Amino acid sequence: MQLSRSNNVPKYMEEFINFAMEHLGLYKLRGNLHFTLARANLEEESFGLCWGDRGEVEMQIASKQWGAPVSREDKLKTIAHEMTHARQYFVGHLVPGEQEEFESMWLGEKVEYTPENEHMTPWEVEAVRLENEIYEEWIKYRTS
């Protein structure tokens, strides 16, 4: 795995990125992961965005949402969440739909969704579970 980061990523985030990548097994995979810490809000006021395919993934983390700074905890949880999506892309579990905006393939099955129910899709359920798991492991690691 080749990781490139924007120049403005603080040390604590670099350490967490490495921790999350190790936890998710991303270092064992092939591909390019491009990580950007946005200096402002992301589209639709998202905490993070991730898109890609088996060879290349782009990831953005917001530093602001609705004009206010995003907390350190929320940034780290978002990194873990979006890194989970990166892994899903790299291993081919999640494949974006090519013709329909709200359609993707999950483990070879077509999944249709709307923005209102996207949080219920299998890739989001997994990402939420792992964001919390990785963050809690990080806290234990940092306090031990």
Side-chain angles (χ1 to χ4, degrees):
M1 170 69 54
Q2 295 292 318
L3 172 66
S4 61
R5 294 184 300 271
S6 57
N7 293 334
N8 62 332
V9 177
K11 181 89 170 139
Y12 79 91
M13 247 187 231
E14 285 183 29
E15 291 172 356
F16 187 79
I17 289 167
N18 291 329
F19 183 86
M21 287 182 70
E22 185 70 36
H23 186 91
L24 292 165
L26 285 170
Y27 285 117
K28 298 174 185 174
L29 302 177
R30 291 183 167 199
N32 296 307
L33 176 59
H34 306 283
F35 178 92
T36 303
L37 176 60
R39 297 184 188 277
N41 302 22
L42 296 177
E43 65 185 65
E44 299 181 19
E45 298 297 329
S46 297
F47 277 118
L49 299 171
C50 185
W51 63 96
D53 56 35
R54 291 191 73 137
E56 192 154 9
V57 173
E58 297 282 339
M59 208 173 116
Q60 295 181 342
I61 303 298
S63 56
K64 293 185 178 182
Q65 187 182 46
W66 304 107
V70 175
S71 72
R72 180 179 284 211
E73 178 179 340
D74 284 335
K75 286 178 192 168
L76 296 180
K77 285 184 174 182
T78 302
I79 289 169
H81 184 102
E82 301 304 339
M83 287 273 182
T84 300
H85 289 318
R87 187 191 71 198
Q88 293 166 345
Y89 287 123
F90 283 128
V91 299
H93 289 177
L94 177 58
V95 179
E98 293 182 19
Q99 298 185 349
E100 295 294 324
E101 183 177 1
F102 300 112
E103 176 183 295
S104 293
M105 298 291 285
W106 177 253
L107 300 175
E109 300 287 326
K110 183 168 69 169
V111 176
E112 295 179 21
Y113 59 94
T114 63
E116 296 81 32
N117 73 2
E118 185 178 15
H119 69 281
M120 296 169 32
T121 60
W123 55 89
E124 285 298 329
V125 170
E126 180 180 58
V128 169
R129 179 179 57 80
L130 288 173
E131 84 180 45
N132 290 308
E133 179 182 303
I134 293 167
Y135 183 76
E136 292 303 319
E137 290 294 322
W138 170 253
I139 296 301
K140 288 179 198 172
Y141 169 75
R142 297 292 291 171
T143 56
S144 60

